[in-house]
Amino acid sequence: MKNKIKQELENIEIPKEFEQISQNGINKAYSEMNNNRKKSRWLIGFVACAAILLLSIGSWSTPVVKASIQNALNLILADKFEKMEKGSRIPPEEVLVSVEENSKGELITTYISGSKERTENENGDFSVSDGKTIASYTKNDNKFIIEANDNPGPPIESKIFSEFEKEKIQSLGTKTLLDRNAEVYKITITGEETLELWFDKATDVLVREIQIIDGKTYEEGKLISLKTIDKKSNLELFRIEAPKEANIIDHTKK
C-alpha cells in the first residue's frame, strides 16, 4: 500500500510556479522562526505543505538519495536538527551541559540527555521536559505550568531544510569554538541576509548561530561553556517537579 501511494506521489507533476511559492513560504517560515524562536527546542511548532513534504519524505528511502545525501547539504542539515532533537549523538550515560549568555547578559544553562532537556535562567525561571511532558516555571508570578508534549515529530528546522534549496547552503568547513571542533554552514536566506550555523562535531548540537543582514552581524547569545556530566548521578535534573508553594497549572489533567 505504501509503495502504491509513493508511486502515485512521484507521478504528480508540480508546476514550477508552485515550487517557487513553496520555496518563498519556506524562506518566510524560517525567517519568522528565527525572529520568534523560543530557546526550548520542544516548544516550536510548524505547519508545512503536505504534498511537498510527503514527496520529500517518500524519496528519502530510495538508495539513490541515500547515496547522494553527502552532496545534499539541505538534507544533511535536516538530519542534524533531527539528531539534535533526539540527542542521539550524546552518549546515553552522559548529560550535555551548555552555558550561554543571552542578549540581556543573563546566563542560561541547558542540560540535554536524549529527548530530555532542562533549561535554567539565572533569574530563577526554568523549563524541563522528560520527553513526554513539558513544564515551565516563572519566578515572578510563581506559576508552574505542565503540558503534554503534543508535538513529538521532527523539529521545525528539519522540516524546513528538507525542502530548502541546497544551492543556497554552503559548507564553511570545520572551525574551533571553546577548544571544540564545529562544522559550519552558511545559509543564504535572501540577497541581504545570510545565516551561519555552527554544530558541535562530537554531538551535532547547534552551538552558535550568526545572522548577517546588510553586512551587520547579529547573535542572540554567546556560548560560555560546553561539557558533559555523569547522567546516573544527575537524574533529578529531568524530574517534573514544581518548586515549593508554586501555583501549579496542570493542563495534562482533564
Side-chain angles (χ1 to χ4, degrees), residues 3 9 11 43-44 50 72 88 94 104 119 130 148 162 172 180 185 192 207 225 230 239 249:
N3 289 334
L9 285 170
N11 289 331
L43 293 178
I44 301 172
S88 58
E94 295 180 354
K104 297 179 181 179
T119 300
D130 60 8
S162 292
L172 300 182
R180 297 173 68 102
Y185 298 87
E192 297 77 29
V207 290
S225 70
D230 177 62
R239 290 177 184 164
I249 302 172

Side-chain angles (χ1 to χ4, degrees), residues 129-141:
S129 172
D130 60 8
K132 297 180 180 179
T133 306
I134 304 164
S136 58
Y137 174 73
T138 49
K139 188 175 181 180
N140 280 345
D141 55 17

Side-chain angles (χ1 to χ4, degrees), residues 149-240:
N149 181 8
D150 54 4
N151 186 33
I156 179 175
E157 296 93 340
S158 181
K159 293 181 179 180
I160 289 174
F161 280 116
S162 292
E163 295 302 323
F164 208 86
E165 293 179 81
K166 62 182 179 182
E167 293 80 10
K168 292 186 176 183
I169 304 173
Q170 176 186 359
S171 173
L172 300 182
T174 301
K175 299 186 180 183
T176 303
L177 181 66
L178 299 176
D179 295 324
R180 297 173 68 102
N181 288 331
E183 296 175 339
V184 184
Y185 298 87
K186 177 183 176 181
I187 295 94
T188 300
I189 308 300
T190 66
E192 297 77 29
E193 182 179 358
T194 61
L195 191 67
E196 279 189 20
L197 300 180
W198 295 46
F199 292 88
D200 180 58
K201 196 166 185 177
T203 62
D204 264 341
V205 169
L206 184 65
V207 290
R208 191 178 189 187
E209 187 175 337
I210 305 174
Q211 190 176 24
I212 303 170
I213 304 175
D214 292 329
K216 295 182 179 180
T217 300
Y218 303 89
E219 289 190 66
E220 287 188 6
K222 178 183 178 182
L223 189 68
I224 304 298
S225 70
L226 186 68
K227 64 179 182 179
T228 57
I229 59 176
D230 177 62
K231 180 180 178 179
K232 189 176 294 186
S233 55
N234 290 281
L235 292 175
E236 74 283 352
L237 287 170
F238 307 108
R239 290 177 184 164
I240 307 296

Side-chain angles (χ1 to χ4, degrees), residues 36-82:
N36 301 306
R37 78 163 27 173
K38 296 182 180 180
K39 284 296 177 183
S40 298
R41 55 193 170 128
W42 59 79
L43 293 178
I44 301 172
F46 179 67
V47 178
C49 172
I52 297 294
L53 188 59
L54 280 171
L55 285 168
S56 173
I57 293 174
S59 66
W60 271 42
S61 61
T62 65
V64 174
V65 173
K66 285 186 176 180
S68 63
I69 192 170
Q70 292 180 351
N71 297 322
L73 293 180
N74 63 328
L75 298 186
I76 289 175
L77 288 180
D79 187 54
K80 283 185 179 294
F81 277 108
E82 192 151 359

